[in-house]
Amino acid sequence: MHPTKTVLALALGASALVGQGQSQSHIAGDAMRIPYQSHRIYHIRCVKGAPVIVELPLGETIKNVWLDRMWFTGEAVPGSGRVMLKAQNAEGVEMEKTTVHIETSGDLRISAVLECLPSNGGRMPSPVYSFYLDGQDEEVARHRLIQIKAEERAQAYKEAMDERYRASFAQWKAEAMGRLHDGYRVKGAAEISKVADDGVQTWIYAPGMAEINSLRAINRDKQEETVNFEYVDGAYVVDRVIAPNEKFELSIGKQKTTISRK
């Protein structure tokens, strides 16, 4: 057996559907309302080339549909509450049968035998079959449907906000990368792989380097200023940027290393 393809096809045709050993279905207008019961195997009858529309209980949507495609087809729109079942318009299809399983978003499972009857021109019952939960209150079902729609809108809003955040972050990252400056010269024994700044902070990348004892900024008048820094993911993040005529001086034990702009 194979899952159905997912296309929109909701044309109506002549058919009949009853539950085996049950006779509780009734017709309301153009639709036959059928109580859903998990233990029932329903019997769907159709004629060659004419579709049968099966409506799920209120608030339920299609999750999966299984049937043998040799003589029959099943089509549904993802997220909808309707399935179209149809016998192929081919010679030899009359009196053929297959088993259909419809799984819903609420984990209901509608099982049925689909049979193609001879095209004898006789009048068939309503082509639309609407399932409802046995004892289901219409207002409760409608409230559930409204709740599902509200959850879908909330999810759509969340996805839209996430997309806005990603776009905003991408823009910020592009602007930050545009401001990034990495033209630095390092003199000394410290194992520094890279130095860069964004105009606000300076990153000194030194994954394998021993802990810094102190870090000072020295201006062009050789005045020293102790600066704040922290170690984050292999880099020392310094809350300062030096000018072209200034330098950083860091101490590791008795060794000193200077960092200046090129």
Side-chain angles (χ1 to χ4, degrees):
M1 297 195 294
H2 310 281
T4 62
K5 55 185 176 180
T6 51
V7 296
L8 177 60
L10 298 177
L12 303 183
S15 59
L17 185 154
V18 297
Q20 291 185 354
Q22 301 287 341
S23 60
Q24 300 176 13
S25 306
H26 63 277
I27 297 174
D30 293 331
M32 178 180 289
R33 301 192 71 239
I34 304 158
Y36 168 78
Q37 293 176 348
S38 59
H39 64 276
R40 290 177 64 177
I41 304 297
Y42 298 91
H43 197 163
I44 304 174
R45 298 187 180 98
C46 63
V47 294
K48 183 170 65 175
V52 178
I53 302 300
V54 177
E55 291 186 341
L56 304 184
L58 194 62
E60 297 290 335
T61 57
I62 302 298
K63 187 176 180 181
N64 287 303
V65 180
W66 293 274
L67 77 162
D68 188 340
R69 286 179 168 274
M70 182 173 180
W71 296 107
F72 300 88
T73 63
E75 301 177 356
V77 177
S80 74
R82 283 186 162 192
V83 181
M84 184 186 76
L85 303 173
K86 186 172 67 172
Q88 302 276 12
N89 191 13
E91 293 297 327
V93 70
E94 295 179 344
M95 304 308 295
E96 290 291 340
K97 298 179 182 180
T98 190
T99 302
V100 180
H101 299 289
I102 303 171
E103 187 178 10
T104 77
S105 57
D107 293 330
L108 303 183
R109 191 179 179 94
I110 298 173
S111 297
V113 174
L114 178 60
E115 179 182 11
C116 180
L117 297 180
S119 303
N120 54 17
R123 179 176 175 79
M124 304 295 287
S126 170
V128 181
Y129 301 89
S130 178
F131 282 87
Y132 65 92
L133 297 181
D134 208 10
Q136 181 182 46
D137 183 88
E138 291 294 333
E139 286 302 316
V140 172
R142 292 186 187 281
H143 177 73
R144 181 185 177 193
L145 185 58
I146 291 171
Q147 191 174 30
I148 290 173
K149 294 297 183 183
E151 291 172 356
E152 290 175 350
R153 287 194 296 270
Q155 180 63 26
Y157 176 77
K158 180 180 180 299
E159 292 174 357
M161 292 303 294
D162 288 346
E163 182 60 32
R164 285 184 60 185
Y165 171 78
R166 285 191 291 268
S168 177
F169 178 78
Q171 182 180 358
W172 171 86
K173 184 177 179 181
E175 293 174 354
M177 293 299 292
R179 295 193 302 267
L180 196 64
H181 174 263
D182 60 358
Y184 284 88
R185 182 183 297 107
V186 179
K187 290 184 179 181
E191 299 177 0
I192 297 173
S193 60
K194 184 179 180 180
V195 181
D197 75 79
D198 65 350
V200 178
Q201 292 179 313
T202 302
W203 290 273
I204 302 172
Y205 294 90
M209 189 172 67
E211 185 176 352
I212 294 176
N213 296 338
S214 65
L215 179 61
R216 298 179 296 278
I218 304 174
N219 64 21
R220 63 182 179 180
D221 297 324
K222 297 185 178 181
Q223 294 175 329
E224 297 183 359
E225 172 193 351
T226 301
V227 294
N228 296 322
F229 64 90
E230 61 179 335
Y231 188 74
V232 181
D233 294 333
Y236 288 94
V237 183
V238 185
D239 293 331
R240 194 184 191 287
V241 175
I242 56 174
N245 52 3
E246 296 179 329
K247 64 182 178 181
F248 286 126
E249 183 180 82
L250 56 91
S251 299
I252 303 175
K254 295 183 179 181
Q255 295 180 332
K256 294 183 178 180
T257 298
T258 60
I259 300 171
S260 58
R261 286 179 177 266
K262 292 179 180 180

